[in-house]
Amino acid sequence: MSQMPQLSACPSCEEPLESGDRFCGACGYDLSAVPERPQDNPTITMNGSVPAQGAAAGEYPERPSAPPAGAPWPAPGPADPQATAAGGPMPPEAPPAAGVRFDRRPDGHAAPPETYQTQPDHQIQPDQMQPDEYLLQAPDPRVSAEPAAPAAGAGGKVCVACRAGRVDDDGYCENCGHAQPRERDHMEQESGPIAAVSDRGLRHHRNEDAFAIGTTALPDGTPASVAIVCDGVSSATRPDDASQAASRAASEAVLAALPRGAHPQQAMHDAIVAASRAVNSLADEPATAREQAPHQNAPACTIVGAVVTSGLLIVGWVGDSRAYWVPVDRSAPPARLTEDDSWAAQMVAAGLMNEAEAYADERAHAITGWLGADAYELEPHTAAFKPDRPGVVVVCTDGLWNYAEAAEEMARVLPLDAAAHPLHSARVLVGHALDGGGHDNVTVALVPFPAVPQGAGSA
């Protein structure tokens, strides 16, 4: 039986706790229902599948010892007997986080007026939808498109609904008053071999996800691909700003560190720290603003990222956004590369529930780790893998994996030619989530993992 973690605040109502409390004095929540988070073993040599044969769920083989500080990167070649699976120093471990965050306030009241998401069930009934959550209606065929020309000629945007009015600076049509699609409602990007797609989904009034992708080179000229995906926490203020700030800060940090010779795993760890600082800075606001809204949570988001170099795959995360491995040869098993910081994951890890029971619970998507000024502890997770075959890394928010949770399901949905056509494949994955209901924002980045050079087997 796992030992109870030392909690500083109630996971349900977030009221302070006294040391040794078994029940919350404010709401009566049974504190024994929150087990200790599972051990984070961040390095594994992957020969087509993870975990190793016979390993229990959530367990990885014992990681090899890290080389001494200052060891050169890139790591020695496969012929070098001193080569290790990770090839660099491991980031320092942090104490387990003690908090739990819900996307719906535990007291049962609605989230702040600017948010409409509902976790954990990710569903909003049609009669609960806000007016600007409905899809844009088709233009009225009785309205001529000819008046659009003067508006466009005057340098203004033309309304996508009536095709006649000019769009004002607030994003509304001056003719029919219809809200216009925002830039972040649907985003697509390609960068070298990487591609990413993000969509608002069918139920939310805005897109609170963000991504950043890019490519660079290591000091020896070896190419490296980077993908960062963030999901704003809807119960927080400005979740869209939090995800965008975190994705940009993390991507910039990794892309700057790799050419300087930093080991990719350390670069990913430092990037998550940089992302955390960027999100924390959003909470800096005048005291008067805090006095006017004393119960609002600070901006917050989750983060997951991947770095792919020749023969090495690094993932890093905080929260419940995920990374999956799908080999090009579909006869080899796929794998999930991350472990959620969530209530459900902790229940499964503690042996208190199986996955089906845990994820059916209304508390399943309560996250226990996030980036934000009110996070209890910053605990970046990183893991290093050495696949022995080509494949694709799927980096995504829960808006996608809710519709393809198991690695086998994700592999079935991912097109067979994803490594060659990542943008098309990312669109297919987003479409799969939208066809399934699109209850949340959906974001996915695909990072192809190249074929392993001849004779460069796993350590």
Side-chain angles (χ1 to χ4, degrees):
M1 188 74 176
S2 299
Q3 294 182 349
M4 280 287 297
Q6 296 298 315
L7 302 178
S8 60
C10 175
S12 178
C13 67
E14 300 185 349
E15 290 295 321
L17 298 173
E18 297 293 334
S19 178
D21 282 351
R22 176 175 173 77
F23 297 91
C24 175
C27 68
Y29 186 86
D30 185 358
L31 302 177
S32 63
V34 183
E36 187 178 17
R37 64 163 283 107
Q39 178 69 24
D40 189 44
N41 298 308
T43 306
I44 175 177
T45 298
M46 184 167 63
N47 294 303
S49 66
V50 295
Q53 186 67 26
E59 293 183 359
Y60 295 131
E62 182 178 354
R63 68 189 183 199
S65 58
W73 172 258
D80 188 338
Q82 301 300 321
T84 65
M90 301 302 301
E93 295 186 359
V100 176
R101 182 161 215 167
F102 293 83
D103 268 5
R104 176 169 287 276
R105 283 169 40 186
D107 59 9
H109 291 86
E114 67 175 39
T115 63
Y116 306 109
Q117 293 191 31
T118 56
Q119 277 188 327
D121 60 5
H122 296 272
Q123 296 184 9
I124 298 179
Q125 299 302 320
D127 60 348
Q128 297 174 321
M129 295 173 69
Q130 300 296 321
D132 61 346
E133 289 182 282
Y134 292 103
L135 298 178
L136 293 176
Q137 62 184 11
D140 189 337
R142 295 169 298 177
V143 178
S144 171
E146 293 180 359
K157 293 182 179 180
V158 179
C159 175
V160 299
C162 69
R163 302 292 176 90
R166 189 182 71 86
V167 179
D168 61 23
D169 294 338
D170 294 330
Y172 292 86
C173 175
E174 294 180 344
N175 180 50
C176 67
H178 205 297
Q180 304 301 295
R182 282 164 282 202
E183 181 181 358
R184 289 180 62 176
D185 282 356
H186 186 88
M187 300 178 291
E188 299 184 356
Q189 184 181 350
E190 283 185 297
S191 179
I194 324 169
V197 176
S198 181
D199 193 272
R200 185 186 69 178
L202 304 180
R203 299 295 184 93
H204 291 308
H205 77 297
R206 67 179 174 190
N207 190 358
E208 296 171 356
D209 289 355
F211 67 81
I213 59 176
T215 58
T216 186
L218 305 180
D220 66 352
T222 303
S225 300
V226 176
I228 304 291
V229 168
C230 296
D231 184 355
V233 176
S234 294
S235 61
T237 58
R238 301 165 59 195
D240 50 338
D241 291 340
S243 62
Q244 189 168 59
S247 60
R248 286 178 177 175
S251 174
E252 291 172 359
V254 174
L255 292 174
L258 292 178
R260 295 198 299 262
H263 186 278
Q265 191 165 5
Q266 187 64 51
M268 177 61 73
H269 177 274
D270 295 343
I272 294 176
V273 174
S276 176
R277 290 171 180 160
V279 178
N280 291 352
S281 67
L282 297 178
D284 296 335
E285 54 187 6
T288 53
R290 181 63 66 184
E291 291 171 359
Q292 293 171 1
H295 302 296
Q296 290 186 345
N297 293 321
C301 68
T302 68
I303 186 171
V304 62
V307 176
V308 167
T309 67
S310 179
L312 186 63
L313 161 61
I314 302 294
V315 294
W317 73 98
V318 172
D320 64 349
S321 294
R322 294 181 177 180
Y324 292 83
W325 162 258
V326 180
V328 170
D329 178 5
R330 298 301 172 87
S331 64
R336 198 178 92 196
L337 306 179
T338 57
E339 291 290 339
D340 297 346
D341 289 320
S342 70
W343 182 92
Q346 291 191 2
M347 289 292 133
V348 174
L352 300 178
M353 292 182 176
N354 60 38
E355 284 201 7
E357 294 171 336
Y359 283 98
D361 193 283
E362 62 180 7
R363 296 165 290 183
H365 288 276
I367 56 175
T368 57
W370 62 87
L371 304 182
D374 61 354
Y376 290 88
E377 296 284 349
L378 175 61
E379 186 183 4
H381 310 293
T382 62
F385 302 90
K386 295 191 71 177
D388 64 350
R389 64 198 69 202
V392 176
V393 185
V394 180
V395 186
C396 64
T397 61
D398 59 350
L400 172 59
W401 66 253
N402 276 329
Y403 300 97
E405 185 172 340
E408 293 75 15
E409 293 178 286
M410 188 66 72
R412 283 195 295 269
V413 178
L414 186 69
L416 296 175
D417 61 351
H421 303 286
L423 180 58
H424 167 74
S425 299
R427 291 169 176 162
V428 170
L429 292 180
V430 170
H432 174 75
L434 298 181
D435 290 343
H439 293 148
D440 200 355
N441 308 142
V442 189
T443 302
V444 58
L446 298 182
V447 189
F449 186 89
V452 179
Q454 190 76 16
S458 297

